[in-house]
Amino acid sequence: MVNRMQFYVDGSWIDPILAKTAWTVNPATAEELYQIALGSKADVDKAVKAAGRAFGSFSQTTREQRISLLANIIEIYKDRAKEIGDAISDEIGAPLAMAQQMQTKSAIGHFTSTLEVLKHYSFEERIGSAVVIREPIGVVGMITPWNWPISQIACKVAPALAAGCTMILKPSEFAPTCALIFAEILHQAGVPKGVFNLINGLGPEVGAAMSEHPDIDMISFTGSTRAGIDVAIRAAPTVKRVSQELGGKSPYIVLDDADLEKAVSGCIETIFLNSGQSCDAPSRLIVPESKMREVTKIAKILVGRYRLGHPRAAGTDMGPVVNRGQWEKIQTLIQKGIDEGATLVAGGLGLPSGTDKGFYVRPTIFADVKNKMTIAREEIFGPVLAIIGARDENEAIQIANDTPYGLAGYVFSGSTERARNIGRMLRAGNIYLQGASLDRAAPFGGYKQSGNGREWGRFGFEDYLEVKSVAGPVER
């Protein structure tokens, strides 16, 4: 039985200081699932004190001790993976197979990648007459989202533990269960008390208290750009490090020599994965103007094959979006697309045919979109694709970069060399060529309003380290 009414602080499950709860809702049915406890500033203070006490000893643990700890976590996690996948599917509406495979297994990938970094990382180097030392930054506050809940928890907690930091995690109130199970896993693996602490709560309360707290040395935040700005403002007076992975409006450029069936299929598959609720989703498909009609025809056929249904039903390709607020936002933006003159190719407003409950969005495609339209500017965070025409590859690049975001970019061409050359000109932190996936050892993060700092692999690990220069006589 998962303990949803307490927090994990200083190695124990404790009651909240103030009694306050919220309901977690099943997006497939719009019915209440269970209540969770919500924290307050006082709970954050207690967790920060525990993390501060633990930092002195945990920061001095050896590389070998932390390697052993991460290896234990990986093995215990494998035994709880099915529970985590079930919870993610129920709470965010991801198809069960996708939740159990992609969502759940991503956490093992992050821990395994971090473990390899830790085994080989050099914490000291000599530069001239100085020794440069990399050491843990201190107490870390972590605020994670609901769309890839366990993945985002793992890609923060794994490097923080490997670096020797202590931490307080605030997971999303919309997907709390995987985090609670994860706390049990860390406890069983032998994480020392106070090193990992978990407080459930709302962003404006618990998240704000963490961002402002003078004894938290770093905030690692994943979420919307709007919320990330608020976190940064609140963190500024204490001059703590703020690492953020924020929104996106990623372009998917198809060049005139590309295999259109293959290119459009890759875009459709990626944008509709997780019901369009991924920060790096390719929501702008940029194609040669001369091929707009052909691309539109292919996209319409492909989306017509998508099986929208209950997350636990066999064969479901796409489930609902996470909650009513998200559903209503997506409906508003679809209406904007219609009002501003884009051509509705598939999908549209309202619940899918035959559905009378839940937060299902019809997979929606617009063609003839101009890059100044709202649906091409704002992050929709749902299954809505905007197809934009470009006269040539130079205009395609200009359109791709004409956005306040810069998280990802996708390029598809008949020539990998040509695709790579285009990719070099895109102002984004992650570029995917010819349908490739990013290696978890490579850095993940954005340019511009898509964030700062990097996660995954060595670059993510180094976000949790301070750099110290020690000057002195050179030993002979």
Side-chain angles (χ1 to χ4, degrees), residues 389-464:
R391 290 187 300 271
D392 52 36
E393 67 177 46
N394 288 330
E395 186 177 41
I397 295 165
Q398 185 273 324
I399 291 170
N401 288 333
D402 180 19
T403 172
Y405 297 107
L407 186 56
Y410 301 72
V411 188
F412 217 102
S413 170
S415 161
T416 298
E417 181 181 359
R418 188 180 178 198
R420 192 176 303 280
N421 288 337
I422 299 295
R424 290 181 184 277
M425 290 183 274
L426 299 183
R427 296 285 296 164
N430 308 282
I431 306 298
Y432 305 88
L433 306 180
Q434 314 291 64
S437 299
L438 192 64
D439 192 310
R440 282 200 179 88
F444 183 86
Y447 287 19
K448 299 186 282 187
Q449 291 185 28
S450 286
N452 50 50
R454 289 296 181 268
E455 296 184 314
W456 303 14
R458 176 174 63 84
F459 287 83
F461 178 69
E462 289 179 338
D463 248 17
Y464 295 88

Side-chain angles (χ1 to χ4, degrees), residues 145 147 152 155-156 220-225 243-248 279-280 407 430 444-446 449-453 455-456:
N147 61 322
Q152 286 304 121
C155 77
K156 297 180 191 302
S220 180
F221 173 84
T222 300
S224 70
T225 297
S243 180
Q244 299 180 320
E245 195 261 283
L246 308 175
C279 50
D280 61 349
L407 186 56
N430 308 282
F444 183 86
Q449 291 185 28
S450 286
N452 50 50
E455 296 184 314
W456 303 14

Side-chain angles (χ1 to χ4, degrees), residues 131-142:
V131 174
V132 177
I133 301 171
R134 291 172 173 85
E135 57 188 26
I137 193 169
V139 176
V140 181
M142 301 172 174

Side-chain angles (χ1 to χ4, degrees), residues 227-357:
I229 291 169
D230 184 70
V231 166
I233 290 170
R234 293 178 182 276
T238 54
V239 200
K240 57 171 59 71
R241 181 178 298 175
V242 179
S243 180
Q244 299 180 320
E245 195 261 283
L246 308 175
K249 195 68 183 175
S250 300
Y252 191 112
I253 296 177
V254 177
L255 298 176
D256 54 13
D257 61 348
D259 180 327
L260 291 185
E261 290 272 357
K262 192 173 181 180
V264 177
S265 176
C267 182
I268 293 289
E269 181 180 334
T270 309
I271 179 63
F272 292 145
L273 179 70
N274 209 34
S275 299
Q277 299 170 129
S278 297
C279 50
D280 61 349
S283 53
R284 294 182 297 148
L285 175 56
I286 303 171
V287 304
E289 283 182 352
S290 62
K291 297 182 184 291
M292 174 66 74
R293 299 280 73 82
E294 188 178 354
V295 167
T296 299
K297 182 179 178 180
I298 294 169
K300 185 173 183 177
I301 292 170
L302 290 172
V303 77
R305 298 172 184 167
Y306 258 69
R307 292 165 293 185
L308 185 66
H310 194 284
R312 286 183 175 258
T316 293
D317 294 314
M318 195 174 87
V321 296
V322 70
N323 56 39
R324 186 176 302 280
Q326 188 70 11
W327 187 88
E328 291 175 348
K329 173 193 171 187
I330 294 166
Q331 298 302 306
T332 298
L333 288 165
I334 291 173
Q335 184 64 62
K336 278 273 192 183
I338 295 169
D339 293 344
E340 293 180 7
T343 302
L344 182 63
V345 175
L349 295 165
L351 290 169
S353 177
T355 305
D356 60 0
K357 61 182 179 180

Side-chain angles (χ1 to χ4, degrees), residues 16 29 68 76 85 89 100 107 112 120 145 173 283-284 357 449:
T29 63
S68 176
I76 296 168
S89 181
Q100 290 179 334
T112 301
H120 306 290
E173 66 274 19
S283 53
R284 294 182 297 148
K357 61 182 179 180
Q449 291 185 28

Side-chain angles (χ1 to χ4, degrees), residues 25-62:
V25 174
N26 185 333
T29 63
E31 296 171 352
E32 294 172 338
L33 283 170
Y34 33 70
Q35 286 185 305
I36 63 166
L38 296 178
S40 64
K41 183 179 183 299
D43 295 301
V44 172
D45 286 339
K46 180 178 283 191
V48 172
K49 287 176 182 175
R53 288 192 298 270
F55 179 72
S57 56
F58 190 67
S59 64
Q60 299 304 308
T61 53
T62 65

